[in-house]
Amino acid sequence: MLVVISPAKKLNWDPVNLTNVTSPVFEKEAFELSQIAKDLNPQELSDLMGISANLAKLNYDRFHTFENKASDKNARPASMAFAGDTYAGLEAKTLDPVSSQYAQDHLRILSGLYGLLRPFDLIQPYRLEMGSKLKTKKGNSLYEYWGDTISAELNKQAIKVNSTTLVNCASNEYFNAVDSKKLNLEVINPVFLENKSGKSKVISFFAKRARGAMARFIVEQRVKEVNGLKDFNLGGYKFQPKDSSNNKMVFLRNHTR
């Protein structure tokens, strides 16, 4: 099966081992988008993404130094460059070599700028959220820009690895960039709930980390069938069959404090 996760706003640019890295499939498109964003001033970037003046200036500078090809001087592997909660759950740096290769074939990161990334694709520093209404020749948003491109690439990779299932561990903002009507895969949506004082609900911080942990579980355990996902128990989560349905798998854990 394939699994998709969201990128992160926060980046980690510490030096890493750059052996066996790859180039993004849509590197040309990423450069094209970077050049469109480059024409925006800091205030326009702030308005586009709803970010502070300092973050807008940082990303203004990033777009102005963005190159058409990634290299060991200006880039890092995607799974190690992103540093949000999902990536704390994924812990890509600690995967053994065999699992890392499996992840390269079965794990994908959705991206506003790069469209779709493999874990060891080199990316340059950026921030461009998928929900951004960046105007391009293809429309008035990144959803319109990417169209069915991402779903087509997922279909292509599914054929390569003989997969018929996609586990969606991404946020709605990012998975909405996947054209479900063009996707030739069954989509499974894991939901991670926290039970405290008898009330169960999704808590964003924990859910994001659990999505990363689920992606790691799929990679390390080489999960191929949907039933195999039911064994996910990292962090104390347990599968809840009564609350689940064909395409939704609910996991719950109890908080004693």
Side-chain angles (χ1 to χ4, degrees), residues 131-168:
S132 300
K133 296 189 180 300
L134 183 69
K135 294 183 179 180
T136 71
K137 62 185 180 182
K138 296 182 180 180
N140 296 321
S141 71
L142 289 177
Y143 295 124
E144 292 182 11
Y145 178 85
W146 289 112
D148 63 0
T149 304
I150 294 173
S151 57
E153 185 61 28
L154 286 169
N155 287 336
K156 187 186 300 184
Q157 185 60 22
I159 292 172
K160 285 184 180 179
V161 297
N162 195 28
S163 175
T164 58
T165 306
L166 175 68
V167 182
N168 172 27

Short mmCIF file of all heavy atoms in Angstrom, two decimals, residues 131-168:
data_model
loop_
_atom_site.label_atom_id
_atom_site.label_comp_id
_atom_site.label_asym_id
_atom_site.label_seq_id
_atom_site.Cartn_x
_atom_site.Cartn_y
_atom_site.Cartn_z
N GLY A 131 -3.28 25.36 0.45
CA GLY A 131 -4.49 26.16 0.37
C GLY A 131 -4.29 27.57 -0.14
O GLY A 131 -5.25 28.34 -0.28
N SER A 132 -3.05 27.92 -0.46
CA SER A 132 -2.74 29.29 -0.91
C SER A 132 -3.40 29.58 -2.26
O SER A 132 -3.35 28.78 -3.18
CB SER A 132 -1.23 29.48 -1.04
OG SER A 132 -0.60 29.27 0.20
N LYS A 133 -4.00 30.76 -2.37
CA LYS A 133 -4.63 31.17 -3.63
C LYS A 133 -3.60 31.91 -4.49
O LYS A 133 -3.75 33.11 -4.77
CB LYS A 133 -5.85 32.03 -3.34
CG LYS A 133 -6.96 31.26 -2.60
CD LYS A 133 -8.23 32.05 -2.51
CE LYS A 133 -9.32 31.27 -1.79
NZ LYS A 133 -9.66 30.00 -2.46
N LEU A 134 -2.58 31.17 -4.87
CA LEU A 134 -1.54 31.71 -5.74
C LEU A 134 -2.02 31.64 -7.19
O LEU A 134 -2.34 30.57 -7.69
CB LEU A 134 -0.24 30.92 -5.57
CG LEU A 134 0.97 31.42 -6.37
CD1 LEU A 134 1.46 32.76 -5.80
CD2 LEU A 134 2.10 30.39 -6.33
N LYS A 135 -2.05 32.77 -7.84
CA LYS A 135 -2.53 32.82 -9.22
C LYS A 135 -1.44 32.37 -10.19
O LYS A 135 -0.32 32.85 -10.14
CB LYS A 135 -2.99 34.24 -9.58
CG LYS A 135 -4.22 34.69 -8.80
CD LYS A 135 -4.67 36.08 -9.23
CE LYS A 135 -5.91 36.50 -8.46
NZ LYS A 135 -6.38 37.85 -8.87
N THR A 136 -1.80 31.42 -11.05
CA THR A 136 -0.89 30.92 -12.09
C THR A 136 -1.67 30.87 -13.41
O THR A 136 -2.87 31.15 -13.44
CB THR A 136 -0.37 29.50 -11.75
OG1 THR A 136 -1.45 28.56 -11.91
CG2 THR A 136 0.16 29.42 -10.31
N LYS A 137 -0.99 30.46 -14.44
CA LYS A 137 -1.65 30.34 -15.74
C LYS A 137 -2.72 29.25 -15.75
O LYS A 137 -3.55 29.18 -16.66
CB LYS A 137 -0.62 30.06 -16.83
CG LYS A 137 0.14 28.76 -16.64
CD LYS A 137 1.23 28.59 -17.67
CE LYS A 137 2.00 27.29 -17.47
NZ LYS A 137 3.11 27.13 -18.44
N LYS A 138 -2.72 28.39 -14.71
CA LYS A 138 -3.69 27.30 -14.65
C LYS A 138 -4.89 27.63 -13.78
O LYS A 138 -5.84 26.83 -13.70
CB LYS A 138 -3.01 26.03 -14.13
CG LYS A 138 -1.92 25.49 -15.05
CD LYS A 138 -1.33 24.21 -14.50
CE LYS A 138 -0.25 23.67 -15.41
NZ LYS A 138 0.35 22.42 -14.88
N GLY A 139 -4.87 28.78 -13.09
CA GLY A 139 -6.00 29.12 -12.25
C GLY A 139 -5.62 30.02 -11.10
O GLY A 139 -4.53 30.60 -11.06
N ASN A 140 -6.53 30.13 -10.13
CA ASN A 140 -6.36 31.06 -9.03
C ASN A 140 -5.98 30.40 -7.71
O ASN A 140 -6.07 31.03 -6.65
CB ASN A 140 -7.65 31.87 -8.84
CG ASN A 140 -7.96 32.74 -10.04
OD1 ASN A 140 -7.06 33.33 -10.65
ND2 ASN A 140 -9.23 32.83 -10.39
N SER A 141 -5.58 29.15 -7.75
CA SER A 141 -5.16 28.47 -6.52
C SER A 141 -4.20 27.34 -6.87
O SER A 141 -4.10 26.93 -8.03
CB SER A 141 -6.38 27.89 -5.79
OG SER A 141 -6.91 26.79 -6.50
N LEU A 142 -3.53 26.82 -5.85
CA LEU A 142 -2.64 25.69 -6.07
C LEU A 142 -3.43 24.42 -6.38
O LEU A 142 -2.94 23.54 -7.09
CB LEU A 142 -1.74 25.48 -4.84
CG LEU A 142 -0.67 26.55 -4.63
CD1 LEU A 142 0.10 26.28 -3.34
CD2 LEU A 142 0.29 26.61 -5.81
N TYR A 143 -4.65 24.34 -5.88
CA TYR A 143 -5.48 23.19 -6.25
C TYR A 143 -5.71 23.17 -7.75
O TYR A 143 -5.66 22.12 -8.40
CB TYR A 143 -6.83 23.25 -5.52
CG TYR A 143 -6.73 23.12 -4.02
CD1 TYR A 143 -7.26 24.09 -3.18
CD2 TYR A 143 -6.11 22.00 -3.43
CE1 TYR A 143 -7.19 23.97 -1.79
CE2 TYR A 143 -6.03 21.87 -2.05
CZ TYR A 143 -6.57 22.86 -1.24
OH TYR A 143 -6.48 22.74 0.13
N GLU A 144 -5.97 24.33 -8.32
CA GLU A 144 -6.19 24.41 -9.77
C GLU A 144 -4.88 24.18 -10.52
O GLU A 144 -4.87 23.58 -11.60
CB GLU A 144 -6.79 25.77 -10.13
CG GLU A 144 -8.21 25.96 -9.62
CD GLU A 144 -8.81 27.29 -10.03
OE1 GLU A 144 -8.23 27.98 -10.90
OE2 GLU A 144 -9.86 27.66 -9.48
N TYR A 145 -3.78 24.63 -9.96
CA TYR A 145 -2.48 24.43 -10.61
C TYR A 145 -2.16 22.95 -10.72
O TYR A 145 -1.77 22.46 -11.79
CB TYR A 145 -1.37 25.15 -9.84
CG TYR A 145 0.00 24.93 -10.46
CD1 TYR A 145 0.44 25.74 -11.51
CD2 TYR A 145 0.83 23.90 -10.03
CE1 TYR A 145 1.68 25.53 -12.11
CE2 TYR A 145 2.07 23.69 -10.62
CZ TYR A 145 2.49 24.51 -11.66
OH TYR A 145 3.71 24.29 -12.26
N TRP A 146 -2.34 22.21 -9.62
CA TRP A 146 -1.96 20.79 -9.62
C TRP A 146 -3.01 19.91 -10.29
O TRP A 146 -2.67 18.87 -10.87
CB TRP A 146 -1.66 20.31 -8.20
CG TRP A 146 -0.38 20.88 -7.67
CD1 TRP A 146 -0.24 21.78 -6.65
CD2 TRP A 146 0.94 20.62 -8.15
NE1 TRP A 146 1.08 22.09 -6.46
CE2 TRP A 146 1.83 21.39 -7.37
CE3 TRP A 146 1.46 19.81 -9.16
CZ2 TRP A 146 3.21 21.37 -7.58
CZ3 TRP A 146 2.84 19.80 -9.37
CH2 TRP A 146 3.69 20.58 -8.58
N GLY A 147 -4.28 20.32 -10.27
CA GLY A 147 -5.31 19.57 -10.98
C GLY A 147 -5.29 18.08 -10.66
O GLY A 147 -5.36 17.68 -9.50
N ASP A 148 -5.18 17.25 -11.71
CA ASP A 148 -5.12 15.79 -11.49
C ASP A 148 -3.70 15.24 -11.57
O ASP A 148 -3.49 14.03 -11.63
CB ASP A 148 -6.01 15.07 -12.49
CG ASP A 148 -5.57 15.26 -13.95
OD1 ASP A 148 -4.57 15.97 -14.18
OD2 ASP A 148 -6.23 14.71 -14.84
N THR A 149 -2.72 16.14 -11.54
CA THR A 149 -1.31 15.74 -11.66
C THR A 149 -0.88 14.82 -10.53
O THR A 149 -0.19 13.81 -10.75
CB THR A 149 -0.40 16.98 -11.69
OG1 THR A 149 -0.81 17.85 -12.74
CG2 THR A 149 1.06 16.59 -11.89
N ILE A 150 -1.28 15.16 -9.30
CA ILE A 150 -0.85 14.38 -8.14
C ILE A 150 -1.49 13.00 -8.14
O ILE A 150 -0.81 11.99 -7.89
CB ILE A 150 -1.16 15.15 -6.84
CG1 ILE A 150 -0.31 16.43 -6.76
CG2 ILE A 150 -0.94 14.27 -5.62
CD1 ILE A 150 -0.67 17.35 -5.62
N SER A 151 -2.78 12.93 -8.44
CA SER A 151 -3.45 11.62 -8.47
C SER A 151 -2.86 10.74 -9.57
O SER A 151 -2.70 9.52 -9.38
CB SER A 151 -4.96 11.79 -8.66
OG SER A 151 -5.26 12.51 -9.83
N ALA A 152 -2.52 11.35 -10.70
CA ALA A 152 -1.92 10.57 -11.79
C ALA A 152 -0.59 9.98 -11.37
O ALA A 152 -0.27 8.82 -11.69
CB ALA A 152 -1.74 11.46 -13.03
N GLU A 153 0.21 10.75 -10.64
CA GLU A 153 1.52 10.25 -10.19
C GLU A 153 1.35 9.16 -9.13
O GLU A 153 2.10 8.18 -9.11
CB GLU A 153 2.34 11.41 -9.62
CG GLU A 153 3.77 11.04 -9.22
CD GLU A 153 4.61 10.53 -10.39
OE1 GLU A 153 4.35 10.91 -11.55
OE2 GLU A 153 5.55 9.73 -10.13
N LEU A 154 0.36 9.30 -8.27
CA LEU A 154 0.08 8.26 -7.27
C LEU A 154 -0.36 6.97 -7.96
O LEU A 154 0.05 5.87 -7.57
CB LEU A 154 -0.98 8.74 -6.29
CG LEU A 154 -0.54 9.78 -5.26
CD1 LEU A 154 -1.74 10.35 -4.52
CD2 LEU A 154 0.46 9.19 -4.27
N ASN A 155 -1.20 7.09 -8.98
CA ASN A 155 -1.63 5.91 -9.74
C ASN A 155 -0.43 5.21 -10.38
O ASN A 155 -0.33 3.98 -10.38
CB ASN A 155 -2.62 6.32 -10.84
CG ASN A 155 -3.99 6.69 -10.28
OD1 ASN A 155 -4.37 6.25 -9.20
ND2 ASN A 155 -4.73 7.49 -11.03
N LYS A 156 0.48 6.01 -10.92
CA LYS A 156 1.66 5.46 -11.57
C LYS A 156 2.53 4.70 -10.57
O LYS A 156 3.01 3.59 -10.86
CB LYS A 156 2.46 6.60 -12.21
CG LYS A 156 3.62 6.15 -13.07
CD LYS A 156 4.46 7.34 -13.54
CE LYS A 156 3.64 8.31 -14.37
NZ LYS A 156 4.50 9.42 -14.90
N GLN A 157 2.72 5.28 -9.39
CA GLN A 157 3.54 4.63 -8.38
C GLN A 157 2.85 3.38 -7.84
O GLN A 157 3.52 2.37 -7.54
CB GLN A 157 3.86 5.59 -7.23
CG GLN A 157 4.81 5.03 -6.18
CD GLN A 157 6.17 4.65 -6.76
OE1 GLN A 157 6.57 5.15 -7.81
NE2 GLN A 157 6.88 3.76 -6.08
N ALA A 158 1.54 3.42 -7.72
CA ALA A 158 0.79 2.25 -7.23
C ALA A 158 1.00 1.05 -8.14
O ALA A 158 1.13 -0.09 -7.68
CB ALA A 158 -0.69 2.59 -7.12
N ILE A 159 1.04 1.32 -9.44
CA ILE A 159 1.28 0.23 -10.41
C ILE A 159 2.69 -0.34 -10.20
O ILE A 159 2.89 -1.55 -10.23
CB ILE A 159 1.11 0.75 -11.84
CG1 ILE A 159 -0.37 1.09 -12.11
CG2 ILE A 159 1.60 -0.28 -12.86
CD1 ILE A 159 -0.61 1.79 -13.42
N LYS A 160 3.66 0.54 -9.97
CA LYS A 160 5.05 0.09 -9.80
C LYS A 160 5.21 -0.84 -8.61
O LYS A 160 5.98 -1.79 -8.64
CB LYS A 160 5.97 1.31 -9.64
CG LYS A 160 6.25 2.07 -10.91
CD LYS A 160 7.25 3.19 -10.64
CE LYS A 160 7.57 3.98 -11.90
NZ LYS A 160 8.53 5.09 -11.64
N VAL A 161 4.49 -0.53 -7.51
CA VAL A 161 4.66 -1.32 -6.29
C VAL A 161 3.50 -2.29 -6.08
O VAL A 161 3.35 -2.88 -5.01
CB VAL A 161 4.84 -0.41 -5.05
CG1 VAL A 161 6.10 0.42 -5.17
CG2 VAL A 161 3.61 0.48 -4.82
N ASN A 162 2.65 -2.43 -7.11
CA ASN A 162 1.55 -3.38 -7.07
C ASN A 162 0.62 -3.12 -5.88
O ASN A 162 0.29 -4.03 -5.11
CB ASN A 162 2.08 -4.81 -7.01
CG ASN A 162 1.01 -5.84 -7.32
OD1 ASN A 162 0.06 -5.57 -8.05
ND2 ASN A 162 1.14 -7.03 -6.74
N SER A 163 0.20 -1.86 -5.74
CA SER A 163 -0.67 -1.48 -4.63
C SER A 163 -2.05 -1.07 -5.12
O SER A 163 -2.20 -0.46 -6.18
CB SER A 163 -0.05 -0.31 -3.85
OG SER A 163 -0.93 0.15 -2.85
N THR A 164 -3.06 -1.40 -4.33
CA THR A 164 -4.44 -0.99 -4.65
C THR A 164 -5.04 -0.12 -3.56
O THR A 164 -6.20 0.25 -3.63
CB THR A 164 -5.33 -2.23 -4.84
OG1 THR A 164 -5.32 -3.01 -3.63
CG2 THR A 164 -4.86 -3.08 -6.01
N THR A 165 -4.22 0.22 -2.54
CA THR A 165 -4.72 0.96 -1.38
C THR A 165 -3.84 2.17 -1.09
O THR A 165 -2.62 2.09 -1.17
CB THR A 165 -4.76 0.06 -0.13
OG1 THR A 165 -5.50 -1.12 -0.44
CG2 THR A 165 -5.39 0.77 1.04
N LEU A 166 -4.48 3.28 -0.72
CA LEU A 166 -3.77 4.48 -0.29
C LEU A 166 -4.24 4.84 1.11
O LEU A 166 -5.44 5.02 1.34
CB LEU A 166 -4.06 5.64 -1.24
CG LEU A 166 -3.47 7.00 -0.86
CD1 LEU A 166 -1.94 6.96 -0.96
CD2 LEU A 166 -4.03 8.11 -1.73
N VAL A 167 -3.31 4.92 2.05
CA VAL A 167 -3.64 5.32 3.41
C VAL A 167 -3.40 6.82 3.52
O VAL A 167 -2.28 7.31 3.34
CB VAL A 167 -2.79 4.56 4.44
CG1 VAL A 167 -3.18 4.96 5.86
CG2 VAL A 167 -2.97 3.05 4.27
N ASN A 168 -4.46 7.56 3.82
CA ASN A 168 -4.38 9.01 3.88
C ASN A 168 -4.07 9.48 5.30
O ASN A 168 -4.95 9.57 6.15
CB ASN A 168 -5.71 9.61 3.41
CG ASN A 168 -5.76 11.12 3.63
OD1 ASN A 168 -4.73 11.78 3.66
ND2 ASN A 168 -6.96 11.65 3.79
#
